[in-house]
Amino acid sequence: MSAGKILIVGLGPGPDKWLTPEASAALAVATDVIGYIPYVDRLPARAGQTKHATDNRVEIDRARHALDLAQQGRVVAVVSGGDPGVFAMAAAVFEAVDAGSDADKATDIQVLPGISAMQAAAARLGAPLGHDFCAISLSDNLKPWDVIIRRLTAAAEGDFVIALYNPASKARPQPIHDAFTLLRSLKKSSTPVAFARAVGRPDERVVLTTLGEADPAVADMSTLVMIGSSETRFIDREGKEPWLYTPRHYGAMR
Ligand code: SAH
């Protein structure tokens, strides 16, 4: 039996131009592709390749399935949007390995990086991640809400730029509203905010605003919300959207 393996592949934020050559090559050699339905559906059908599309809530089962297939000699691509190590499948696979057998620990696994949503959004907006930043997922499916509150508070107090992933979904419209209520009590209302939706896709939409004026209802499950530090600023431009950036030097160092 040929040696199987798992390739954990980041598909980038959407368009093919943001898929790395390494990721494309992995998708071409995989005998099996495992992932969340919309990502797997997006990939072209290939002769001899089996697609296993599953619901988003079964990450660990998906990881277990990938390990089983790899141990049967298959070359399994486990796909995630963006980077597979950022709020995505790579950690789920390692959770399954950690809880698994010696055969699981011996399985050949490679993680292939991708462009994460915050990087794509930052590139669209200008350079908001030009100085210290943090990324926080607002999904309370996988962690208690009081941890999210603690992290948002610490991020605001640390004056980090904050990239918010999973700000809202149809089933969970509330987190982004609660997050904004909290952040408004901790940061200046003039703080720049950007809602970067479906960056790189045909339905891309970017809304630039401030913490005081933002309507959190703009955010949906395809939106990356960027909240500035005290240094983040807009550069207004005649007839064009302003740039958003965070200077390299902080405060008096500038
Ligand atoms: N692994 C992914 C993140 C998965 S969590 C990555 O590295 O990007 C899913 C969240 O990512 C979404 O709720 C949204 O906040 C963000 N996201 C993914 N693709 C996006 C895109 N094209 N534009 C804006 N945000 C996106």
Side-chain angles (χ1 to χ4, degrees):
M1 190 170 63
S2 64
K5 62 180 166 184
I6 297 181
L7 303 165
I8 308 177
V9 181
L11 299 178
D16 284 351
K17 66 182 178 187
W18 288 346
L19 182 72
T20 68
E22 183 185 44
S24 296
L27 295 171
V29 300
T31 59
D32 297 79
V33 179
I34 295 187
Y36 178 36
I37 302 159
Y39 298 131
V40 172
D41 283 353
R42 210 165 79 193
L43 301 171
R46 290 174 199 273
Q49 187 176 75
T50 310
K51 288 181 172 184
H52 310 265
T54 51
D55 190 79
N56 210 12
R57 282 169 296 231
V58 293
E59 286 189 348
I60 297 288
D61 299 350
R62 214 186 273 157
R64 185 64 255 160
H65 188 196
L67 285 163
D68 293 341
L69 288 171
Q71 286 159 25
Q72 292 159 25
R74 318 276 300 178
V75 176
V76 187
V78 176
V79 298
S80 284
D83 181 273
V86 177
F87 307 124
M89 280 307 297
V93 170
F94 289 116
E95 274 183 58
V97 169
D98 205 6
S101 64
D102 288 348
D104 294 332
K105 293 181 177 87
T107 301
D108 184 356
I109 298 174
Q110 287 170 45
V111 184
L112 315 186
I115 297 175
S116 190
M118 66 182 172
Q119 296 167 289
R124 266 290 177 272
L125 298 168
L129 303 180
H131 205 97
D132 299 340
F133 64 88
C134 65
I136 299 177
S137 168
L138 287 191
S139 171
D140 55 3
N141 293 335
L142 301 170
K143 67 182 168 225
W145 182 251
D146 63 338
V147 172
I148 300 178
I149 296 285
R150 182 148 55 87
R151 291 185 176 166
L152 286 170
T153 304
E157 285 172 355
D159 198 22
F160 290 93
V161 173
I162 306 171
L164 292 178
Y165 285 74
N166 298 304
S169 69
K170 286 205 183 79
R172 299 179 311 109
Q174 198 52 33
I176 190 66
H177 292 274
D178 295 344
F180 268 64
T181 301
L182 174 69
L183 292 172
R184 281 173 174 146
S185 72
L186 298 169
K187 292 172 72 73
K188 281 193 181 161
S189 62
S190 59
T191 304
V193 167
F195 296 91
R197 180 179 187 284
V199 177
R201 303 186 202 146
D203 51 339
E204 174 178 310
R205 195 182 64 206
V206 173
V207 175
L208 300 175
T209 179
T210 60
L211 189 57
E213 291 182 355
D215 174 10
V218 165
D220 66 4
M221 65 185 294
S222 300
T223 307
L224 187 289
V225 185
M226 196 77 83
I227 298 161
S229 73
S230 64
E231 299 284 311
T232 306
R233 61 200 62 225
F234 290 116
I235 303 175
D236 290 322
R237 296 190 292 168
E238 197 64 45
K240 287 187 174 165
E241 285 285 286
W243 291 120
L244 179 65
Y245 87 110
T246 307
R248 301 272 292 131
H249 294 84
Y250 192 87
M253 309 267 311
R254 198 133 39 83

